[in-house]
Amino acid sequence: LGKENNCSMIFDHFGFSIQDKVTKHVLLTGRSHSGLYPIPGVAASFSPPNKAADHEVAYLGQQVKFSLWHSRLGHPTNEVVHSMLKSASLPPIVDSHPHICQYCLSGKMHSLPFPTHHNKAVTPFHRIRSDVWGPSPYKSFQRYRHIVTFIDEFTGFSWIYPMFAKSEVFTHFMKFYAFVVNQFSVVIKYFQSDGGGEYVSN
């Protein structure tokens, strides 16, 4: 109310007053009642300059957009907002851009966004990513049903090993590690998997 109409409001134990921020003129006053501050239907205390106190006046506020009603009413669905505005005889003002509430999207997320990853590989075999797939619904010509992949993050090169069972994962990892050490004279600094348990299970 204050932001949209460029006015300030003062509340105390006895009542409230609304004041124009530019002219400092008191626009409206009212008394408190049982802890509430009802706005009087007739502004007897409103006395514009050079006007009589009993002069009929009308209060003009900015038309509130749909997105603001959505926030004020506690982020309900669009149908609920339309229904409430209709019951109060208030015309909904459609936003110039499609209304997408970021708070509603965040509230519906199952997990928080992943943090920005700054630790990137700077040399070949700095970080190796591995994943295991299977079992396949069909066996290969050699009767394999699983595969394990090793991907170098820096170069993007991939190594794929077929397997008969997931229990062979660690054996193929040791073969791949020996291949890297013997062929490239480097060691793998970081190894990343999806945490499926293939590298820790017996």
Side-chain angles (χ1 to χ4, degrees):
L1 177 63
K3 180 180 179 181
E4 296 162 4
N5 297 281
N6 196 28
C7 62
S8 59
M9 291 160 284
I10 302 174
F11 295 86
D12 57 27
H13 178 70
F14 301 100
F16 71 93
S17 63
I18 301 177
Q19 186 180 44
D20 188 286
K21 287 185 177 181
V22 178
T23 64
K24 306 300 181 182
H25 184 76
V26 177
L27 303 176
L28 180 66
T29 61
R31 294 183 176 276
S32 63
H33 178 70
S34 300
L36 301 177
Y37 297 87
I39 297 178
V42 179
S45 62
F46 178 75
S47 180
N50 303 323
K51 297 290 183 179
D54 59 350
H55 182 75
E56 293 184 357
V57 296
Y59 299 100
L60 176 63
Q62 293 184 356
Q63 292 180 322
V64 180
K65 293 184 178 181
F66 185 87
S67 57
L68 185 55
W69 279 121
H70 171 79
S71 300
R72 284 179 172 177
L73 297 174
H75 300 270
T77 62
N78 294 344
E79 292 76 11
V80 172
V81 176
H82 280 291
S83 177
M84 296 182 70
L85 294 179
K86 183 178 180 180
S87 63
S89 300
L90 295 174
I93 307 302
V94 181
D95 296 68
S96 57
H97 301 286
H99 173 234
I100 300 177
C101 181
Q102 297 297 327
Y103 299 102
C104 290
L105 294 178
S106 300
K108 294 177 181 178
M109 290 182 179
H110 296 285
S111 61
L112 295 176
F114 293 104
T116 303
H117 182 62
H118 298 288
N119 184 18
K120 296 183 178 180
V122 294
T123 58
F125 303 105
H126 181 90
R127 178 183 285 107
I128 296 295
R129 303 180 186 273
S130 178
D131 194 12
V132 178
W133 180 83
S136 169
Y138 304 100
K139 294 182 180 180
S140 68
F141 184 75
Q142 293 84 8
R143 306 187 69 80
Y144 294 115
R145 296 191 62 183
H146 300 76
I147 61 172
V148 57
T149 61
F150 301 102
I151 304 174
D152 177 34
E153 183 182 279
F154 183 77
T155 62
F157 283 12
S158 302
W159 289 262
I160 302 176
Y161 294 85
M163 302 181 298
F164 294 105
K166 283 188 176 182
S167 57
E168 303 173 22
V169 169
F170 189 73
T171 300
H172 287 294
F173 168 73
M174 295 304 297
K175 291 180 180 179
F176 174 73
Y177 185 84
F179 164 77
V180 172
V181 173
N182 294 331
Q183 294 293 324
F184 302 98
S185 300
V186 296
V187 295
I188 300 172
K189 292 186 177 181
Y190 298 97
F191 185 81
Q192 182 175 343
S193 68
D194 60 359
E198 294 86 359
Y199 292 95
V200 296
S201 59
N202 294 327

